[in-house]
Each structure stands twice: as structure tokens, then as C-alpha cells.
Amino acid sequence: MEIFKILNNNVVTVIDHKQEKVIMGRGIAYQASIGDTLDESKIQKIFVLSHYDDADRIISLLQTIPLEYLQVSDVILKEAKKTLDIDADIIFISLSDHIKGVVDRARKGIQLRNPLLPDIRRFYVKEFEFGLDALQTINQTFGVQLLEDEAAFIAMHLLVNMEDSQNGENLAYQMTQIIQEIIQVVSDFYQIEYNENSVDYYRFIMHLRLFTQRLLGHQSYEANEDDEDLLAALKRKYYKAYQCSEKIKQFIKEAYAYDITDEELLYLTIHINRLNHA
């Protein structure tokens, strides 16, 4: 196989049987050039880009994720394939990016609570137990001590994928429609058309997928006291992003009779601020 694109020292793409494939391996592109023959002894993981609807964004995102996070995600999802009915490759990139963000925040002393923790622990036992095992792997690998809430977040990544598979096109259509509407609210508020190939746009879309699943599942929750304090701080620090989140809250209430809680406003504010200050 010949190198088609070099994303960084550890990730390249190749064309194999007319398919563009991503190849991961430590130092696999070191001192290499496009067109060179790949050192197959360094290959650690291969996945096919055509499995993703947004291959260009996947490539952009891969350039920002260090290899160790991709490796941990791969280890975690190999276990998921054994124990759960899930197409693990579909969420490989989003989970890798999620783990990087969680570890980065934890090292700054920031950990977010998951208000769905009790429900996920109770109603999605296998997925939550898997999340706990994944949490242990992340803690040991990166020397952090993540809260149990993170096990629920990991379970949610798996659940979104399984819901999509089981409910098919109807769910995907509904989610896409709501996401497009929210993006339009944000675009109108800031008077800007966003680069859909940007990494921050992709991250925002991933967050909105989780949100729309909760909306369509009629799940709602209240923020705890810590979240209320954090939201108050973000309201002062990211005032414009918070005002945009309030616009989304008003739209969702009118269009879908769904109340966005302070917890959800917190996450929306963080993502909207990052989207507009990348």
C-alpha cells in the first residue's frame, strides 16, 4: 500500500481496492512522503473512510487527536464489539475526541456532572458497566481520576449509535431536522455562515446529536447546585454565547414543547462559544 495522505506522524490514508482507508501506527509516517510504500509492520488500526458521511471533517479531526487517545478508544471499543450489539467503528473518532476533551478538562480541575447518571445506571446496565470499565482504562492510561459521571457519558455515546441502528432512517431524519434548525438559530444570531468542515463545527454537531436524542426520547432533568454555579459563571464570561443558548431554548420550547434545562444551557454555551472563537 502506498501513502495517499499524511495526516500526522502517526496517521496516514491509503487507497486500497478503490477505498480510502485511514491507517494508524506510531511513527508510521515519520520521514515518509506521499507515494511511499507503507511500512505495514507499524500498522495498529485500519478503518474505511467511506463508512463516514463526513469524511473531510473526520480527516480534519484526526489531525488534532494525539495517537494515545485513538489507541485508548480503540482498546475500549474492541471490548464493546465483544459485549454489546454495536458498530463500534462508527463512533471511534467521536469517542477519541470526547476522551481527549475529558482528560484535558480533568487536568485543569474541571469535571462535568451527568444528570442522566441515575437513569443510565438503572436502565442501561450493560452499557453503564462497560462505561465503568472504560473509565478505569482512561484513568490508568492518563493518570487522572474521572468521576463516575463519565462512565455514563461513555455509555451515552454507545446508546446514540445503537438507537440510530435500531430505529433507522426515521430517527436520523428527525434528528437531522432539529439539528439543522438549531444551527440556523445560531447562524442567524451571529450573522455568520459556518465552515461545516471545521473541527469545532463537527464537535458542536456531535453534541447536538446527543441533545436531540434526549429531546426525541422526552428525557428531561434538572441541574444540580454545582451546575447552576458554573452556568452563572459562564453566563458572565461568555455572555453572547449564553444569549444564543437562550434563543435556542425559546425556539425548542415553541417548536417541540421541550424545556431545555440549565444543565443543557451550560453545554450549549460552552460549545457555541468555542464554535465562534476557534
Side-chain angles (χ1 to χ4, degrees), residues 65-66 150 157 175 187 219 254 268:
I65 305 174
E150 182 53 35
H157 273 275
M175 291 176 66
S187 182
Q219 296 173 319
E254 294 173 355
L268 281 171

Side-chain angles (χ1 to χ4, degrees), residues 224-243:
N224 60 42
E225 187 174 336
D226 291 341
D227 293 328
E228 292 171 358
D229 292 342
L230 182 54
L231 181 62
L234 288 176
K235 181 179 178 179
R236 293 189 298 271
K237 187 173 183 180
Y238 305 137
Y239 179 76
K240 190 170 183 178
Y242 176 81
Q243 291 299 309

Side-chain angles (χ1 to χ4, degrees), residues 190 194 200 237-238 240-241 271-278:
Y190 281 93
Y194 292 100
D200 288 303
K237 187 173 183 180
Y238 305 137
K240 190 170 183 178
H271 281 280
I272 291 170
N273 181 74
R274 182 164 59 179
L275 179 65
N276 287 281
H277 292 87

